[in-house]
Amino acid sequence: MSGCSSVGLMLPIVEEESWNKGVRAMLYMLAMLWCFFGVAIVADAFMCGIEHITSKTRKIQIPDPNKKDGVKDIEVKVWNDTVANLSLLAFGTSAPEIMLSCIETIANTFESGELGPGTIVGSAAFNLFMITAICILSIPNGESRRLKNMRVFGVTAFTGLFAYVWLIIVLLGTSPKEVELWEAIVTFMMFPVLILVAFTADKGLGCNKNKTASEVEIGFDIEGGHITGSADIIEVAREFHKETHLSEEETAKIVAAKMMADQPKRSGWYRVNATRKLTGGHKLAPKVNTAFDEIFEKIRAQSNADTVRKMSMNAPDQAQFLDKALVEFTCTSCAVLENEGHVRLGIRRYGNMDKEVKIGVETIDGTAVEGEDYKPFKQLVTFKPNESLRDIFIEIVDDDVWEPDEFFYVKLYHHPEGSSENEVVVGKVAINQVTIVNDDEPGKVEFSKPSYIVKESAERVQLTVNRVNGADGEVMVSWKTKDMSAKAGQEYIGDAGKVIFKHGETAKTIAIGIIGISASEHEPNFQVELSGPTGGAEIGKIPKAIITMINDEEFSSMVTRIAEKTQKNLDGLQLETSSWGEQFYCAMNVNGGDVDSATRVDYVMHFITFFWKVLFAFIPPTSVGGGWLTFGVALAWVGVLTAVIADLASIFGCVVGLNDTITAITFVALGTSMPDTFASRAAALNEKYADSSIGNINGSNAVNVFLGLGLPWLISTIYWKVKGGKLTVNTGSLGFSVTLFAVFALLTMTMLMLRRSLSVFGKAELGGKKIPKIVSAIIIGFFWVIYIIMSSLQAQGVINVGF
């Protein structure tokens, strides 16, 4: 026990040899976990600095005949995305492991230790095996994610595997139990070589050049209310507010969140957001009511006139699809009586009509449940050459039990066995909502929403009256207007009438004339009320509707306010903070001050990590020094915390009797990899491709070796060269661990290529059919279990394989 007091570089700080062994182990374990949170939080600032540096842009001019001077200014990235991912971003995710290896080497008087190298290999094993397995499992059944840039992935996959093969050569081949200067130089220089080769692959290796993100127009600038590369913010805000009649604040929040979700994100963004979710910090993706998702997507599609036709029955511009077919539903929603037995949905093809195309169609539960309310439908629909319209029929389950109207969705998608994205494009009407109208009751009659906004220049306002929870028989309901601040005959035409629903009908409209706003009135309103239903029907939950009239200027002003609040919300969702004051405000408040969205877990984690948040709020914001000062100060803090973790891990292992190698490949490796795990899972779920989730793992693992071992080896070999000595390395446990990892890494790469090539896996690295997905994830995850068990047995001397 006394030997454990001299293990650490800085710890222990008090005399603790007489303490209970179990108490000491528990305290060191908790302290190590707490410090892992600290590393994650300072890495947040570190990654923000890196993102600020690598996202810098410059303006260039390109020809544009639509501009007066014939050119327009666009912004392009200074950093190539591949170079950024494999240099600063990869260094950012691997910084704790790299710093741990360097600090341990210096602390050991330039002798190689076991904790740093063990953490590097252990972290690589967890990243490649467990994160890959988790990402495969995370994709919903039937969905899949493929790697997009296979050239870059091929380079990083080969390099990630070769890096550990090179370690085997160095540790067991060319100079067993010793690292020579030339070996250290070659190991370190492989890092810039990797970046150069990956950059060349990204540019196409002499083939057709890829158009990377650094070469295309980017930005999120508002010009006249328009967000470059996205929907028109004013049009979306206007239509969404009219459709839902939410408050200005809530409308702005939802519009901002949805627009933020559409921005392209790199792996660094997901890592920072994962850290903030873990620690109760300021989240980059606020939670909003998903009930408005469909409305928002419909409105955005209508307003984005540059890329999408308005949601109508008119055909799209077929000139855009001369080489491809465009397939979509003929309408966005439909209703069917429960007793009709089936619902017919039309699917129309535009564009290229010469080829046979196949598109996947599947049903998705809403409030209606497959098997109970409708029969599930999932199959390929084939369009023969010159065939423009196909009908599908989905069976509806009829029963004698009354239940509310329910709905489900029918979705078009690219099926792995269907036509490729190069042959067919799924149109904007890709989802059809089917409402099952219960026909066992006469139903209830109500307005579609409780309030309407109408411009004074409009001739009339159309109110929708819905018949819900049944459509049996003919029913009638009376309606009449009632003055509020608006007066009939002055601002609107007062009226009364009856609405008749025939058997099976579910929606009717009421038209009320608008006169205009009197000079003395400000946003006058009036009311329309339903009463006296017949045929056994009842009045529903929305018996009254209030109509508010606003003049055109007031409406424009309101929409402008919503747009400004939306932009303010968007600014609040940015990765970086602009000032020390903002940093301290976010650090001292749960969820960065957004307490309305905070959960109980957020409060608990905020309390646990409060010290670290406030401490690291002193790090200069990215607005100071162009991000480089943030980068440097955060890196220094990573080094300090890593040194503390190294001491905690060494003493903990000593107290419980574990070898440093075992401590490194388990506790330390898992602690440094947890943020990456959550980040990769989020990227797998939210990104269209798998590059941000598993595409960067191999590059990060290679950087771990080239910098995490190459740099301390280079420093140490130079030191011993001057001293006239040699850098010796205990290759027993490390050599076996590296060899085992290399074998399993090769098997994992083979599994991923099989998943990409075989239909049984959905021809994609992630997701696919349920059973094959589970089996492949278990196999890859089991590689990590075997790696941990065998490496631990070797490190403890239980087995000896002769390394």
Side-chain angles (χ1 to χ4, degrees), residues 44 430 754:
D44 181 329
L754 289 175

Side-chain angles (χ1 to χ4, degrees), residues 481-776:
T481 59
K482 181 180 179 181
D483 289 354
M484 295 177 70
S485 61
K487 305 300 180 183
Q490 297 181 18
E491 283 87 18
Y492 74 100
I493 300 174
D495 204 352
K498 299 182 184 297
V499 176
I500 299 175
F501 290 87
K502 300 291 186 181
H503 175 74
E505 291 184 337
T506 58
K508 293 286 186 175
T509 59
I510 299 172
I512 300 173
I514 301 298
I515 298 174
I517 301 176
S518 300
S520 59
E521 293 291 338
H522 178 70
E523 296 188 0
N525 53 18
F526 62 95
Q527 178 179 286
V528 181
E529 183 176 1
L530 300 175
S531 63
T534 65
E538 299 177 359
I539 298 297
K541 295 181 179 179
I542 311 177
K544 301 177 182 179
I546 297 175
I547 295 86
T548 302
M549 292 181 287
I550 58 177
N551 62 43
D552 293 353
E553 292 182 1
E554 289 177 346
F555 186 74
S556 298
S557 176
M558 178 190 67
V559 172
T560 300
R561 292 196 303 270
I562 293 175
E564 290 174 351
K565 291 176 181 178
T566 298
Q567 183 58 38
K568 184 177 180 181
N569 286 328
L570 287 170
D571 293 339
L573 296 177
Q574 296 304 307
L575 193 67
E576 310 156 15
T577 50
S578 59
S579 66
W580 264 294
E582 187 178 350
Q583 287 187 172
F584 278 103
Y585 177 82
C586 291
M588 301 184 73
N589 291 277
V590 65
N591 201 19
D594 185 11
V595 295
D596 293 336
S597 302
T599 64
R600 293 180 181 178
V601 175
D602 289 334
Y603 278 98
V604 172
M605 296 310 300
H606 179 68
F607 174 77
I608 293 174
T609 59
F610 182 78
F611 171 79
W612 297 123
K613 290 179 179 178
V614 174
L615 176 63
F616 298 135
F618 285 96
I619 294 175
T622 55
S623 58
V624 180
W628 287 104
L629 192 58
T630 307
F631 175 88
V633 176
L635 180 61
W637 272 114
V638 170
V640 172
L641 272 181
T642 301
V644 174
I645 289 175
D647 281 3
L648 292 171
S650 296
I651 298 174
F652 171 78
C654 179
V655 170
V656 299
L658 286 179
N659 184 283
D660 273 354
T661 297
I662 299 176
T663 305
I665 65 175
T666 53
F667 298 104
V668 182
L670 264 65
T672 57
S673 297
M674 276 300 107
D676 293 319
T677 305
F678 290 102
S680 293
R681 182 180 181 276
L685 286 171
N686 295 303
E687 291 292 311
K688 184 178 179 181
Y689 298 100
D691 299 72
S692 294
S693 52
I694 64 169
N696 296 323
I697 290 176
N698 291 291
S700 179
N701 288 348
V703 171
N704 268 353
V705 172
F706 300 151
L707 287 183
L709 292 180
L711 181 58
W713 279 358
L714 182 61
I715 296 172
S716 298
T717 50
I718 292 175
Y719 173 84
W720 288 111
K721 189 73 174 178
V722 174
K723 285 282 192 176
K726 297 179 179 179
L727 174 60
T728 58
V729 180
N730 182 6
T731 58
S733 299
L734 183 59
F736 176 73
S737 179
V738 170
T739 303
L740 199 61
F741 169 78
V743 172
F744 287 148
L746 180 60
L747 293 176
T748 300
M749 292 298 108
T750 303
M751 174 64 77
L752 289 176
M753 292 303 100
L754 289 175
R755 286 185 54 83
R756 185 179 181 87
S757 304
L758 300 180
S759 298
V760 67
F761 296 111
K763 292 186 177 181
E765 288 80 3
L766 305 182
K769 298 177 181 178
K770 183 176 181 180
I771 300 303
K773 176 179 71 173
I774 294 174
V775 170
S776 54

Side-chain angles (χ1 to χ4, degrees), residues 94 96-102 114-127 164 167 664-665 668-669 672-673 700-710 712 734 741 787:
S94 303
E97 296 96 323
I98 296 171
M99 296 295 288
L100 177 60
S101 183
C102 292
E114 295 183 358
L115 197 63
T119 299
I120 287 174
V121 182
S123 178
F126 186 87
N127 289 346
Y164 291 89
L167 284 185
I665 65 175
V668 182
T672 57
S673 297
S700 179
N701 288 348
V703 171
N704 268 353
V705 172
F706 300 151
L707 287 183
L709 292 180
L734 183 59
F741 169 78
Y787 164 80

Side-chain angles (χ1 to χ4, degrees), residues 141 189 426 693 697 794:
N141 293 333
M189 290 304 298
V426 177
S693 52
I697 290 176
Q794 168 74 11

Side-chain angles (χ1 to χ4, degrees), residues 386-406:
N386 297 317
E387 187 175 19
S388 62
L389 182 65
R390 286 294 309 273
D391 291 333
I392 62 170
F393 296 87
I394 299 173
E395 185 177 350
I396 305 299
V397 177
D398 190 13
D399 55 42
D400 297 327
V401 179
W402 181 89
E403 54 189 351
D405 292 350
E406 298 175 307

